[in-house]
């Protein structure tokens, strides 16, 4: 019934627009129908270009004033996060400056050199100096950004094995995450999707006979000790997923049939981030919005009051429940992490 009403409304709107077009055509009888713009048309368009330029700048200023959150990037919780934020800020500043200048030139020239009767356009068949300038400047700027980005990326991706990073596997499947710790030997046991045995609760396909798998620990909530380098080995059981940890400025695709990796060092515990002034303000705003929907949230069985947590999200559209594919990340002290780890079952003890 709703679909039928929608179709009827659309038809009525279409008929109304058709009638309005007919009325407009009748109103134009006796007026000029030339498709060639005259001086009056060009003048109006010139003023409109200036008006639109002013509109762009006003919207930009208002966006910074009411919606801006300077610095543009903040609250990174990993060692390399500061470098990523700096690269983003530099890129945004360059883009903003170029956009401001080029939009001014574009709209001002459209106004200043608008068509006028008897006015002949002046043009250069070629101008080597101008072409050199507008070619070299972008090349230098872009080369600088690209080289800086490559150095930043290499610093992030080149994992220093001398730091003895903790090895953790992230296992993606529609629509949840699991983490597998490498245990005391810091070596993950072999795994293959062909070894998955639901009856045995071997949901990751870990090789039960592999000696390195005997101390592995499989969990659904990720705990990380602050200041400890971590290397994530990532697998996917079904489709392409993407492990995205926004506060750690970390993202890597999880590809079926292969292992990808990403490493970082967490620098701020969950408890400390919850006390961060910016985060306190954001959480307050979120809870204000949630209180406005109190009845709806309580009816759905969710906790009414939101509390900040780091999250592992899927950043690839992987299916119908993609939006809800996430896992909590707890960053804590080494002592808290060790106490938590002692409470977890090793892989052999988790089997049926």
């Amino acid at each position: 019934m709703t679909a039928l009403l929608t179709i009827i409304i659309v038809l009525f709107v279409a008929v109304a627009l058709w009638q309005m077009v007919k009325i407009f055509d009748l109103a134009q009888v006796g007026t000029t129908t030339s498709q060639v713009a005259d001086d009056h048309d060009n003048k109006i368009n010139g003023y409109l270009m200036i008006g639109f330029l002013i509109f762009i700048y006003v919207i930009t200023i208002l966006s910074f004033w009411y919606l801006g959150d300077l610095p543009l990037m903040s609250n990174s919780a990993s060692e390399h996060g500061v470098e990523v934020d700096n690269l983003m800020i530099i890129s945004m500043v360059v883009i903003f400056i170029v956009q401001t200048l080029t939009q001014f030139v574009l709209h001002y020239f459209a106004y200043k050199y608008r068509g006028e009767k008897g006015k002949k356009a002046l043009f250069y068949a070629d101008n080597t100096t101008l072409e050199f300038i507008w070619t070299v400047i972008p090349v230098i700027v872009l080369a600088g950004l690209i080289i800086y980005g490559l150095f930043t990326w290499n610093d992030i991706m080149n994992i220093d094995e001398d730091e003895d990073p903790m090895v953790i596997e992230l296992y993606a499947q529609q629509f949840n995450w699991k983490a597998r710790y490498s245990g005391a030997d810091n070596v993950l046991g072999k795994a293959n999707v062909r070894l998955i045995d639901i009856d045995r609760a071997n949901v990751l396909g870990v090789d039960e006979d592999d000696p390195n798998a005997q101390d592995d620990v499989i969990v659904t909530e990720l705990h990380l000790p602050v200041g400890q380098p971590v290397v994530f080995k990532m697998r996917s059981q079904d489709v392409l997923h993407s492990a995205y940890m926004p506060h750690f400025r970390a993202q890597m695709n999880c590809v079926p049939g292969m292992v990808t990796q990403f490493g970082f060092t967490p620098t701020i515990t969950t408890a400390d981030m919850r006390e961060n002034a910016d985060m306190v303000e954001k959480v307050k705003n979120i809870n204000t919005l949630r209180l406005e929907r109190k009845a709806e949230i309580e009816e759905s069985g969710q906790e009414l009051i939101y509390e900040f947590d780091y999250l592992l999200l899927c950043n690839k559209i992987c299916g119908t429940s993609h939006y809800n594919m996430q896992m909590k990340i707890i960053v804590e002290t080494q002592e808290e992490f060790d106490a938590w780890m002692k409470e977890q079952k090793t892989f052999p003890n988790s089997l049926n």
Side-chain angles (χ1 to χ4, degrees):
M1 188 64 183
T2 303
L4 178 61
L5 288 173
T6 303
I7 293 172
I8 292 173
I9 292 171
V10 170
L11 287 174
F12 276 126
V13 170
V15 171
L17 289 174
W18 177 57
Q19 293 294 333
M20 289 174 64
V21 170
K22 289 180 65 177
I23 293 171
F24 178 78
D25 289 340
L26 291 172
Q28 300 302 309
V29 174
T31 62
T32 178
T33 57
S34 173
Q35 298 298 312
V36 179
D38 56 21
D39 286 358
H40 178 70
D41 297 328
N42 291 330
K43 187 175 183 180
I44 291 175
N45 284 322
Y47 284 126
L48 286 174
M49 293 296 277
I50 292 296
F52 191 69
L53 176 64
I54 294 171
F55 171 77
I56 291 175
Y57 286 158
V58 169
I59 288 295
T60 302
I61 293 169
L62 291 177
S63 296
F64 272 112
W65 184 264
Y66 290 105
L67 305 175
D69 184 12
L70 299 175
L72 297 174
M73 304 285 287
S74 62
N75 297 328
S76 63
S78 63
E79 280 189 358
H80 75 266
V82 176
E83 298 178 39
V84 174
D85 289 357
N86 287 339
L87 180 60
M88 178 64 76
I89 290 170
I90 291 172
S91 299
M92 293 298 291
V93 168
V94 170
I95 291 170
F96 178 77
I97 293 172
V98 172
Q99 185 265 353
T100 302
L101 295 176
T102 55
Q103 290 299 317
F104 173 79
V105 171
L106 172 67
H107 290 80
Y108 177 71
F109 275 31
Y111 164 75
K112 181 174 176 60
Y113 298 107
R114 63 190 183 275
E116 293 181 34
K117 190 174 181 179
K119 185 176 181 180
K120 186 176 180 180
L122 176 66
F123 67 94
Y124 297 97
D126 59 75
N127 189 314
T128 306
T129 303
L130 279 177
E131 292 176 7
F132 179 81
I133 291 172
W134 69 49
T135 301
V136 169
I137 292 177
V139 166
I140 293 174
V141 174
L142 289 174
L145 286 174
I146 292 170
I147 293 171
Y148 179 31
L150 285 174
F151 275 105
T152 301
W153 179 250
N154 286 333
D155 288 343
I156 294 170
M157 297 306 295
N158 290 334
I159 298 167
D160 188 357
E161 298 295 340
D162 294 336
E163 295 182 350
D164 192 26
M166 179 189 298
V167 179
I168 302 174
E169 179 183 67
L170 292 180
Y171 188 78
Q173 63 183 129
Q174 294 172 311
F175 298 97
N176 64 72
W177 295 95
K178 290 182 176 61
R180 177 162 63 110
Y181 290 83
S182 52
D185 61 4
N186 205 30
V187 178
L188 289 167
K190 295 178 182 178
N192 192 299
V193 291
R194 295 181 178 85
L195 299 176
I196 292 176
D197 187 343
I198 301 300
D199 294 333
R200 291 272 293 160
N202 186 359
V203 293
L204 269 60
V206 179
D207 187 348
E208 298 179 28
D209 297 325
D210 187 350
N212 291 324
Q214 304 311 305
D215 61 350
D216 288 1
V217 175
I218 300 172
V219 296
T220 56
E221 182 176 276
L222 186 60
H223 285 240
L224 302 174
V226 67
Q228 168 67 50
V230 181
V231 175
F232 293 100
K233 306 287 185 176
M234 304 177 187
R235 288 193 298 145
S236 172
Q237 176 176 304
D238 35 50
V239 299
L240 183 67
H241 299 278
S242 188
Y244 177 46
M245 294 166 271
H247 288 91
F248 303 107
R249 308 298 189 258
Q251 179 171 327
M252 182 59 66
N253 286 345
C254 305
V255 185
M258 67 182 294
V259 176
T260 55
Q261 73 172 28
F262 195 99
F264 64 82
T265 303
T267 56
I268 304 176
T269 65
T270 299
D272 288 341
M273 185 60 85
R274 286 173 178 171
E275 296 176 1
N276 179 282
D278 291 339
M279 198 57 63
V280 169
E281 184 65 23
K282 288 180 180 179
V283 170
K284 180 181 176 182
N285 292 336
I286 291 171
N287 283 324
T288 299
L289 295 174
R290 290 178 69 84
L291 287 171
E292 294 175 359
R293 301 170 52 215
K294 181 178 179 180
E296 177 185 344
I297 292 173
E298 290 180 340
E299 185 178 349
S300 66
Q302 301 178 41
E303 292 289 337
L304 178 60
I305 302 301
Y306 165 77
E307 185 175 44
F308 169 81
D309 276 307
Y310 295 120
L311 290 175
L312 165 62
L313 306 169
C314 178
N315 207 24
K316 284 286 187 293
I317 300 177
C318 56
T320 54
S321 294
H322 155 75
Y323 70 95
N324 203 33
M325 185 173 168
Q326 56 184 260
M327 180 166 66
K328 184 190 293 187
I329 303 175
I330 304 294
V331 180
E332 55 200 357
T333 64
Q334 186 67 53
E335 293 75 16
E336 292 170 329
F337 174 80
D338 293 339
W340 173 81
M341 184 59 73
K342 288 179 181 178
E343 298 174 354
Q344 308 309 308
K345 291 182 179 180
T346 58
F347 168 65
N349 293 329
S350 67
L351 298 174
N352 293 331

